[in-house]
Amino acid sequence: MSPKSYGLILRQCRLVSGDVVDIAIDGKKIAAISEQIKERGEEEILIGGRLVCPPFVDSHIHLDSALTAGEPRWNESGTLFEGIKIWGERKQSLSLKDVKKRALETLKLQAMQGVLFVRSHADVSEDSLTALQALLDVREEVKDWITLQVVAFPQDGIYGKPENKKLLKEAVKMGADVVGGIPHYEFTREDGVKSIHKIFELAEEYNKLIDVHCDEIDDEQSRFLEVVAACALRSGMGEKVTASHTTAFGSYNDAYAYKLMGLLERSRINFIANPLINITLQGRMDSYPKRRGVTRVKELWRGGLNVSLGHDCVQDPWYSLGTGNMLDVAYMALHVCQMTGLAEIDACFDMVTVNGAKTLQLNDYGIAVGNSASLIILDAVSRFDAIRRRAPVCYVFSQGKLLAQRSISETKWHL
Ligand code: 17E
Ligand code: FE2
């Protein structure tokens, strides 16, 4: 009898734990992991002690507005509000073809850098719901190589225009995975609170997740996070609920922040910080000292809450830069949140991998026998090393298939 063989064996893979193992892949699944797999693979790749980890997760991006920076004009003030205005102009000329082309191009850019799980917001404040329909089409088109979740996101507020409430419900019925909102942008505090109740009502009725743009402003009076957390606790939706941005939390006084933290710990909601963009959008009305405008990532993480990080924007009216590389995001988080302790740096890596998977409520994520063979190989030896050098991804495997491969270029020293 011939010895058992596998489709593919990756030899000498360094896991984040530091252990070096062989990983066998058969079909779409991880078939074996051990110090030394005795069987042969029909194909074998020598990984040589490089870091192997599950794919990056971008838990927060706006694919409908990606790659539109400068259209029709540049955001000169750099504020969230000018961004919403410019996008309001650009979105008048959306077509399915336009949105799909830019979304696909961005997803490909991300996938080549090891991002295989993405949650994207789709603006549903337009009568035609073009952005949403386009992203639902893209979700289907890419499902064999990237998992896309779509949030029905009412960019202009649920109560900003009479028809917006109906559009949000329509978007949920069309098949959005997640219900979104923007309470700090509603006209009044009361409208903001009402919008959160509406979001929970829809999510419960249609069995959806929740991800709210929450308190993305430097106003220390913006306190919708407590409403989201209370609704999550009372409804029992807990881990299905996410508060994105929550930048005002960086401005709350410590006495209130202490009280809030107790509620957050009980609610078990997820947090997403978007440090690349919020370090530039926030603090714009401050002179000096100038606030950082990022939520209390370190304290939330220490409190045992699930925090992940998003790229938020790739070349759009809010942020004209952006590469799709999640190590850029982790690198910025580490600086802005002063997470420079060794365990803190590792935590920032987890925020763009496992924590993101938890936010998205993914099962079948992670390097374990029986899981889908989606994994990436970085030209690095540890999480710290990967972030420090923003190390390139050498191989991207999605569901057992090699999706992307990159050769590492070298600089020759001639002196
Ligand atoms: N829309 C919004 O309300 N906030 C953001 N950060 C982006 C779009 C990118
Ligand atoms: Fe956002």
Side-chain angles (χ1 to χ4, degrees):
M1 213 172 74
S2 63
K4 183 169 160 27
S5 76
Y6 295 106
L8 172 68
I9 297 180
L10 307 175
R11 299 277 180 198
Q12 298 172 11
C13 304
R14 192 180 306 273
L15 303 174
V16 294
S17 62
D19 294 344
V20 177
V21 296
D22 293 345
I23 299 175
I25 295 173
D26 239 352
K28 291 183 168 192
K29 301 273 179 202
I30 296 177
I33 302 174
S34 85
E35 224 168 86
Q36 202 169 24
I37 293 176
K38 301 220 167 41
E39 294 84 358
R40 302 301 308 165
E42 282 158 37
E43 193 191 343
E44 300 209 354
I45 303 177
L46 181 62
I47 303 302
R50 291 196 176 97
L51 188 67
V52 178
C53 66
F56 291 124
V57 179
D58 186 356
S59 49
H60 189 123
I61 191 169
H62 297 253
L63 288 173
D64 53 353
S65 50
L67 311 181
T68 65
E71 300 171 11
R73 59 199 166 82
W74 207 254
N75 185 339
E76 295 295 345
S77 70
T79 58
L80 169 67
F81 297 92
E82 187 174 348
I84 294 177
K85 208 150 173 247
I86 295 170
W87 172 240
E89 293 164 29
R90 177 58 175 82
K91 74 187 179 191
Q92 302 309 317
S93 61
L94 290 185
S95 67
L96 285 177
K97 198 171 152 209
D98 165 40
V99 179
K100 284 167 75 168
K101 182 168 178 285
R102 290 183 289 96
L104 268 171
E105 199 176 320
T106 309
L107 287 172
K108 202 170 150 196
L109 184 73
Q110 293 184 291
M112 286 195 293
Q113 299 176 91
V115 184
L116 296 185
F117 300 94
V118 174
R119 176 181 284 180
S120 174
H121 295 259
D123 185 357
V124 297
S125 313
E126 277 310 300
D127 295 347
S128 58
L129 293 176
T130 304
L132 179 86
Q133 186 57 60
L135 293 191
L136 294 178
D137 291 353
V138 169
R139 181 180 70 186
E140 185 60 25
E141 274 175 39
V142 302
K143 70 173 197 279
D144 290 337
W145 51 278
I146 198 163
T147 300
L148 177 62
Q149 278 185 0
V150 180
V151 187
F153 172 52
Q155 175 72 77
D156 299 340
I158 300 178
Y159 298 106
K161 275 190 294 171
E163 59 272 30
N164 284 5
K165 192 171 76 169
K166 214 175 89 234
L167 286 170
L168 179 61
K169 184 166 185 167
E170 184 58 29
V172 171
K173 290 210 284 200
M174 278 167 69
D177 305 284
V178 188
V179 188
I182 183 163
H184 55 277
Y185 191 68
E186 301 285 354
F187 293 158
T188 65
R189 162 86 196 168
E190 286 73 19
D191 283 356
V193 173
K194 196 163 82 169
S195 78
I196 293 168
H197 289 295
K198 186 78 211 163
I199 292 159
F200 274 81
E201 185 190 307
L202 281 173
E204 287 189 276
E205 184 179 350
Y206 292 94
N207 193 25
K208 305 289 182 187
L209 303 174
I210 288 175
D211 190 333
V212 181
H213 278 65
C214 192
D215 303 316
E216 189 186 11
I217 189 164
D218 293 322
D219 176 11
E220 74 286 357
Q221 301 288 327
S222 187
R223 294 184 174 184
F224 295 104
L225 177 55
E226 63 183 17
V227 184
V228 170
C231 288
L233 184 61
R234 291 186 182 131
S235 64
M237 282 193 66
E239 293 179 356
K240 291 183 172 171
V241 177
T242 296
S244 279
H245 296 289
T246 63
T247 59
F249 197 179
S251 293
Y252 296 158
N253 66 71
D254 286 336
Y256 174 66
Y258 181 81
K259 175 230 171 185
L260 179 61
M261 197 60 94
L263 171 62
L264 298 175
E265 285 172 10
R266 288 176 63 196
S267 75
R268 308 307 306 157
I269 65 171
N270 307 290
F271 284 82
I272 301 175
N274 299 289
L276 280 176
I277 158 173
N278 283 125
I279 192 66
T280 71
L281 282 185
Q282 309 312 132
R284 290 280 178 165
M285 310 302 157
D286 293 355
S287 58
Y288 290 90
K290 202 182 271 294
R291 285 171 287 179
R292 293 171 188 230
V294 174
T295 197
R296 299 191 186 203
V297 172
K298 195 196 288 197
E299 292 73 15
L300 289 165
W301 167 71
R302 277 193 188 146
L305 284 143
N306 185 51
V307 185
S308 59
L309 302 172
H311 210 300
D312 205 13
C313 306
V314 175
Q315 295 177 266
D316 73 10
W318 294 274
Y319 185 68
S320 58
L321 297 94
T323 59
N325 183 344
M326 292 310 292
L327 289 176
D328 285 352
V329 180
Y331 188 76
M332 182 58 82
L334 177 169
H335 284 80
V336 176
C337 307
Q338 300 188 328
M339 293 186 66
T340 50
L342 198 51
E344 292 169 352
I345 294 174
D346 285 349
C348 288
F349 189 92
D350 293 347
M351 288 177 196
V352 293
T353 51
V354 282
N355 297 14
K358 190 155 180 245
T359 303
L360 269 57
Q361 299 271 287
L362 302 175
N363 39 43
D364 196 30
Y365 176 90
I367 303 208
V369 172
N371 272 1
S372 184
S374 293
L375 50 85
I376 61 175
I377 293 140
L378 288 148
D379 186 30
V381 294
S382 65
R383 289 175 284 184
F384 169 79
D385 185 35
I387 292 185
R388 187 184 73 83
R389 296 186 295 110
R390 273 136 300 135
V393 175
C394 316
Y395 296 94
V396 180
F397 286 93
S398 178
Q399 302 168 34
K401 276 210 193 97
L402 181 59
L403 188 65
Q405 183 176 356
R406 174 186 169 137
S407 48
I408 305 300
S409 61
E410 253 180 83
T411 304
K412 285 210 170 75
W413 180 251
H414 285 297
L415 196 67

